[in-house]
Amino acid sequence: MQLDKLTIEVLNKIGITEFKQEGAFNLRYNGAPLCHGDSDHVTIKPKEDNPGIDIFIDNKTEGETVHIPVVMSTSGMKDVVYNDFYVEDGADVTIIAGCGIHNDGCGNSEHNGIHTFHIGNNCNVRYEEKHYGEGSGSGEKILNPVTKIIIEENSTFTMDTSQIKGVDSTVRETSVIIGKGSRLFVSERLMTHDTQTAISNMDVTMNGADSSAQIVSRSVAKNESVQTFHPKAIGNNACKAHIQCDSIIMDHAQVNSIPEINARHVDAAIIHEAAIGRINNEQVTKLRTLGMTEEEAEGVIVEAFLQ
């Protein structure tokens, strides 16, 4: 299927630089599935009771990538989709999701993606998700993702999420349950500007012995935007966790960082850190001596901070 220029451009913005219909993929466009395909080890089936898909990843999957992007270009649309991932024991897979909204109209465009991951034993799963909004209309671009992750034993789940720009409002709800010997790595990057708002709530429960979690959140808030982060780590067994929230605040923005740790076992070792500050003036001055304007220097610092 030949994709139109706008769809390709939005896909590129959310990190899918070349959308090839090879392997397993599913492209959702304006609230409906546009195209999808299976591979030898990954099967995608439409749900019968809700909008969305079930993705079955078998135990022979090794080094495969699954693409499930969403593109919206119709103003005034609200899209809710339910996607469930079933990853069998021993699978090694990368899942690339993300949503791009192009809104040139006066109505709000909203996408709510509800993703549930069922991760078996001895798996290695990487999940990447980017959010992006654009368009010349007065209507808002709204993204409210819900991510639920259940990890069994001796598995690794890596979650890399980023909100690039252009999203007027987002509320992210993430919950993770970690089994024995399993590890969670979360990297969250976010930039807000103008009067945008962003809320990220995350509950990580370590139920299994020797489980661990590392959560790193980095954000930049500009203009009049408001951000709130509330990551929570709960240790119900011998486990380790580290939460780190770092933010750069600019102009008249607001950043609220509320890391929370809850140890319910004598061998639960949980650490949290939070830091909010402005751009270092010495760094700006150094870059300006190289011929950059102040705005250009700030842009370089912000980009490096969010890497």
Side-chain angles (χ1 to χ4, degrees), residues 277-296:
R278 60 178 297 169
I279 288 179
N280 189 306
N281 286 333
E282 292 182 1
Q283 292 179 326
V284 174
T285 301
K286 184 176 181 179
L287 290 173
R288 294 198 67 183
T289 62
L290 301 176
M292 294 185 185
T293 65
E294 182 175 353
E295 184 177 356
E296 289 171 339

Side-chain angles (χ1 to χ4, degrees), residues 32 56 71 93 107 124 130 133 146 155 186 258 296:
F56 299 92
V71 175
V93 67
N124 183 27
K130 290 186 177 181
V146 176
S155 290
V186 176
I258 316 165
E296 289 171 339

Side-chain angles (χ1 to χ4, degrees), residues 72 77-79 99 101 103 107-112 131-133 139-145 166-171:
M72 295 178 64
M77 170 177 287
K78 180 176 181 179
D79 182 31
C99 178
I101 297 178
N103 189 354
N108 294 343
S109 295
E110 179 177 348
H111 175 73
N112 300 331
H131 287 164
Y132 170 76
E140 293 189 350
K141 284 79 70 178
I142 302 169
L143 288 162
N144 295 323
V167 178
D168 295 294
S169 173
T170 186
V171 178

Side-chain angles (χ1 to χ4, degrees), residues 244-264:
Q244 179 179 335
C245 301
D246 296 325
S247 299
I248 289 178
I249 187 170
M250 303 172 67
D251 308 313
H252 302 287
Q254 298 181 42
V255 178
N256 306 297
S257 187
I258 316 165
E260 181 179 351
I261 57 178
N262 187 334
R264 301 176 181 177

